[in-house]
Amino acid sequence: MRHHGPGSARAVRAALEEVRPRVVLIEGPPEADALIPLAADEEMRPPVALLAHAVDEPGRSAFWPLAGFSPEWVALRWALEHDVPARFVDLPATHTLAWGLQEDEAGTEDERPPPNGTTADGDTGPGAAELRIDPLGVLADAAGYDDPERWWEDVVEHRGAEEGDALAPFTALEEAMAALRETYGSGGHDRDLVREAYMRLQVRAAQREFDDGVAVVCGAWHVPALRQKTTVAADKALLKGLPKVKTDMTWVPWTHRRLARTSGYGAGIDSPGWYGHLFSAPDRPVERWLTKVAGLLRAEDRIVSSAHVIEAVRLAETLAAMRGRPLPGLSETTDAVRAVMCEGSDVPLALVRDRLVVGDVLGEVPPSAPAVPLQRDLTRLHRRLRLKPEALERELELDLRKENDAARSRLLHRLRLLGVAWGEPAASRGSTGTFRETWRLRWEPELSVRVAEAGVWGTTVLSAATAKAEADAVGAEGLAGVTGLAERCLLAELPDALPTVMRILADRAALDTDVGHLAQALPALVRSLRYGDVRGTDTGALAEVAAGLAERIFVGLPPACAALDADAAEEMRGHVDAVHGAVALLGDSPAAGHGHLRGRWQSVLRVLSGRDTVPGVVRGRAVRLLLD
């Protein structure tokens, strides 16, 4: 079968119903065998993925994604529904993850994580999609097609199981792949040979246990190798001496967008949303699809009527007949939508592709799935705060005077400190005050890995963020880095981390004599005072450091402005503007308690405006600020 294809999935289900095996073996990491029963949980909704990570290095990880239309998922569900044992039989993740680690240490560039998997940074495993030749491309070319995806749709996705012979599609594909393997061997990737040796051993073991009642569900590319007659000794020799690393595994939510080939997933497809529709539509898939498209365009205030849908269906069917296709495919429906519903424009068509053809479906995993303690705490928090992870990017407006919104803000800021970028701050609309925040939220599957990595800092979001902030303060380079961290600690409300950060900040400020560094650091401190006001944080120590920093800038700025070239003068002008804004805020802050700062700053500006050694761009700016 193909890893993600509705036609393959239907064919697998039909074949299993016909042959009724006593055990189902599936391409995937055997460490996940204990997780198979969770696939029957009512709260498990694909797309989901198996996540494996090295225990001592959680960032070393890999995913095995499964959609509702993935043949492996269908095989799992069939086995669970019929009380048939199901097992994963690919090379264990303990070897594939360690293989990557070993190569990292050796400094090699050919890192290839697990099969049919994708690493946290988007690299893919050595499946058929990574071969130097594209198997589907070769077969499509032989059939006279210039598009492998269109060929696959015609021969597999758009055909049903043949009456009386559910195994016919697999027999035909096996013959085709056997010819390719005979010509191209392993395609240049020796790791496939190791994986296939392990799978052969597992198949033999199952045959000894269940006689002939064994069904194997794997990528079509591997079938000829699994049929190959080899000795047990030869297969074990290929596996001898493989490195190992301690590995944990669980289920995590996945998205249709991350199934797409454009996301970097090697076994990806171009149109997961379309394939999901083909698999789930009980009948009349073209009519149902074009009705979905019409609904989306109407929601975007485009005029689309029932007549548009009817005409688009007719056009798609006519195009399919003209092109010699058994049914309208994605290209025919897309051409029909462009002509009938979008008036020939590709602009609304881009929205259709993004929202429907690819889609933003996010799967769900039951709470009973294994998870690191930090993930469990995060799940508890986002449920309590009614902040549901979603695949579709959305804006969230927070009013920090409301308790629930303030708690949401703290959570998002703490996650950012931990490197879990669920949300990114955005400019607030209609308000420049400190009582409002705007966030852009989007949950990506890779964030599950980031959470596992952050688990080394603590078992709760609060304790982990506190420990991470303290470590970042100790290792920060430059004064501006520490002041920025102090600002983030206040935003995240980490009172236990703030004393450590403030001590390091005071030490760095006392030692740094560069006026430019001091000027860069001051605005972040002053912003922190304002945040402290709205969040009810004690910022007395911060105000003292800010006032001391301002005094040092006042003393050092005039001599630092002498004899500057044009570029340095322009940079210094920026520093003057930054300090001017910071002093205005600092002078207004009750926590600062230094009302004389504005007067001191105006004296500095008068000095700058009257010295001939100060560049004109800085002198002119000082005069303008004094005039204002």
Side-chain angles (χ1 to χ4, degrees):
M1 50 79 185
R2 189 184 191 183
H3 286 302
H4 308 294
S8 291
R10 282 193 296 267
V12 164
R13 184 163 55 196
L16 291 172
E17 286 289 347
E18 180 172 309
V19 302
R20 295 282 172 164
R22 296 175 60 197
V23 64
V24 179
L25 307 183
I26 301 169
E27 182 182 333
E31 292 95 337
D33 283 355
L35 302 175
I36 288 176
L38 287 171
D41 194 295
E42 291 182 357
E43 295 186 63
M44 178 78 89
R45 296 184 179 88
V48 293
L50 290 166
L51 163 63
H53 65 83
V55 173
D56 296 329
E57 189 184 345
R60 173 63 57 173
S61 57
F63 298 96
W64 285 260
L66 298 173
F69 52 83
S70 297
E72 299 96 328
W73 179 258
V74 169
L76 277 181
R77 293 285 302 171
W78 184 91
L80 291 167
E81 290 165 5
H82 293 81
D83 293 323
V84 172
R87 300 171 184 171
F88 289 110
V89 293
D90 205 345
L91 191 67
T94 186
H95 295 309
T96 48
L97 290 180
W99 214 332
L101 282 168
Q102 190 179 57
E103 288 181 345
D104 283 349
E105 292 167 0
T108 61
E109 297 179 358
D110 186 32
E111 179 183 329
R112 298 195 180 279
N116 187 28
T118 176
T119 57
D121 57 6
D123 293 331
T124 52
E130 284 190 334
L131 297 170
R132 292 172 185 168
I133 55 105
D134 175 10
L136 297 188
V138 174
L139 295 175
D141 185 63
Y145 283 72
D146 57 3
D147 182 357
E149 289 292 325
R150 191 159 62 89
W151 172 79
W152 183 264
E153 278 195 359
D154 285 354
V155 300
V156 177
E157 307 307 341
H158 288 167
R159 69 193 300 275
E162 295 187 10
E163 282 293 327
D165 190 3
L167 297 177
F170 303 106
T171 302
L173 278 175
E174 180 181 350
E175 291 176 359
M177 290 299 169
L180 288 177
R181 291 296 294 257
E182 185 177 350
T183 303
Y184 297 104
S186 66
H189 295 301
D190 293 339
R191 289 200 178 180
D192 274 355
L193 302 178
V194 177
R195 293 171 56 203
E196 289 158 354
Y198 186 87
M199 284 193 272
R200 282 194 295 267
L201 291 173
Q202 302 311 303
V203 172
R204 288 192 189 100
Q207 286 174 329
R208 287 194 300 270
E209 184 178 352
F210 296 96
D211 297 325
D212 292 330
V214 180
V216 182
V217 180
C218 66
W221 178 256
H222 302 298
V223 175
L226 299 188
R227 295 277 196 195
Q228 185 179 348
K229 300 296 183 182
T230 62
T231 65
V232 172
D235 286 342
K236 287 184 175 179
L238 283 174
L239 301 169
K240 188 176 181 180
L242 289 181
K244 290 184 178 182
V245 64
K246 190 176 181 182
T247 304
D248 271 349
M249 181 162 280
T250 187
W251 289 105
V252 295
W254 202 251
T255 67
H256 274 181
R257 192 172 299 279
R258 292 295 295 148
L259 278 172
R261 183 178 288 112
T262 52
S263 70
Y265 173 40
I269 51 181
D270 289 332
S271 48
W274 165 252
Y275 274 8
H277 170 78
L278 287 181
F279 185 70
S280 60
D283 60 353
R284 304 171 73 89
V286 175
E287 290 87 339
R288 293 177 186 276
W289 175 258
L290 291 173
T291 302
K292 279 185 182 180
V293 173
L296 172 65
L297 294 176
R298 285 173 185 161
E300 296 296 324
D301 294 328
R302 295 190 66 86
I303 300 174
V304 180
S305 68
S306 300
H308 284 93
V309 177
I310 295 169
E311 188 56 38
V313 170
R314 289 174 179 167
L315 179 55
E317 291 174 343
T318 302
L319 288 172
M322 292 175 61
R323 295 169 182 175
R325 305 194 68 183
L327 287 171
L330 182 59
S331 58
E332 285 73 34
T333 56
T334 299
D335 289 344
V337 168
R338 180 190 290 109
V340 178
M341 298 184 188
C342 300
E343 300 176 348
S345 173
D346 282 339
V347 175
L349 202 63
L351 180 69
V352 173
R353 170 162 182 78
D354 184 65
R355 297 279 184 86
L356 293 181
V357 176
V358 175
D360 284 298
V361 178
L362 175 65
E364 294 183 24
V365 170
S368 55
V372 296
L374 182 62
Q375 177 66 64
R376 293 196 180 281
D377 185 57
L378 175 57
T379 301
R380 177 185 63 83
L381 289 171
H382 76 64
R383 285 179 176 171
R384 180 168 64 82
L385 299 175
R386 299 187 297 282
L387 198 61
K388 184 179 179 181
E390 295 176 335
L392 182 65
E393 183 177 289
R394 68 184 180 98
E395 279 200 355
L396 177 68
E397 291 279 349
L398 299 178
D399 184 341
L400 302 182
R401 294 167 294 186
K402 298 178 180 177
E403 184 177 346
N404 193 66
D405 279 5
R408 288 175 168 183
S409 172
R410 288 194 295 270
L411 174 62
L412 293 171
H413 280 294
R414 288 169 183 174
L415 290 175
R416 288 193 80 223
L417 263 170
L418 290 169
V420 183
W422 180 8
E424 290 292 334
S428 292
R429 292 175 294 183
S431 173
T432 57
T434 58
F435 287 97
R436 299 192 70 82
E437 279 186 353
T438 303
W439 291 83
R440 288 195 187 93
L441 300 183
R442 183 173 190 161
W443 185 267
E444 295 285 1
E446 289 81 0
L447 295 180
S448 298
V449 177
R450 302 283 85 84
V451 173
E453 285 183 291
V456 302
W457 298 106
T459 57
T460 66
V461 175
L462 175 59
S463 64
T466 298
K468 181 70 161 54
E470 292 174 343
D472 287 350
V474 173
E477 294 184 4
L479 181 60
V482 187
T483 54
L485 187 60
E487 181 179 14
R488 296 173 72 186
C489 284
L490 283 171
L491 291 168
E493 197 170 306
L494 303 176
D496 292 339
L498 204 54
T500 300
V501 175
M502 291 306 304
R503 175 178 53 79
I504 295 174
L505 174 59
D507 292 344
R508 295 282 178 89
L511 296 173
D512 201 322
T513 58
D514 188 314
V515 172
H517 291 170
L518 301 177
Q520 286 176 325
L522 184 61
L525 286 182
V526 175
R527 284 196 304 269
S528 299
L529 290 173
R530 300 185 74 205
Y531 295 139
D533 290 344
V534 71
R535 294 168 189 271
T537 308
D538 182 8
T539 55
L542 200 64
E544 289 184 13
V545 174
L549 210 61
E551 291 287 357
R552 293 183 58 205
I553 292 171
F554 298 162
V555 172
L557 190 58
C561 289
L564 299 177
D565 61 22
D567 291 340
E570 193 63 40
E571 183 179 354
M572 189 59 73
R573 173 188 166 169
H575 293 328
V576 169
D577 281 345
V579 173
H580 183 76
V583 168
L585 293 176
L586 190 59
D588 289 340
S589 172
H594 294 276
H596 68 286
L597 287 177
R598 286 193 179 190
R600 290 275 291 112
W601 174 238
Q602 289 176 8
S603 298
V604 173
L605 291 176
R606 290 192 186 94
V607 171
L608 293 177
S609 65
R611 284 191 179 177
D612 293 337
T613 55
V614 175
V617 68
V618 177
R619 293 180 67 193
R621 189 60 179 158
V623 169
R624 176 55 192 261
L625 293 175
L626 284 169
L627 177 62
D628 289 345

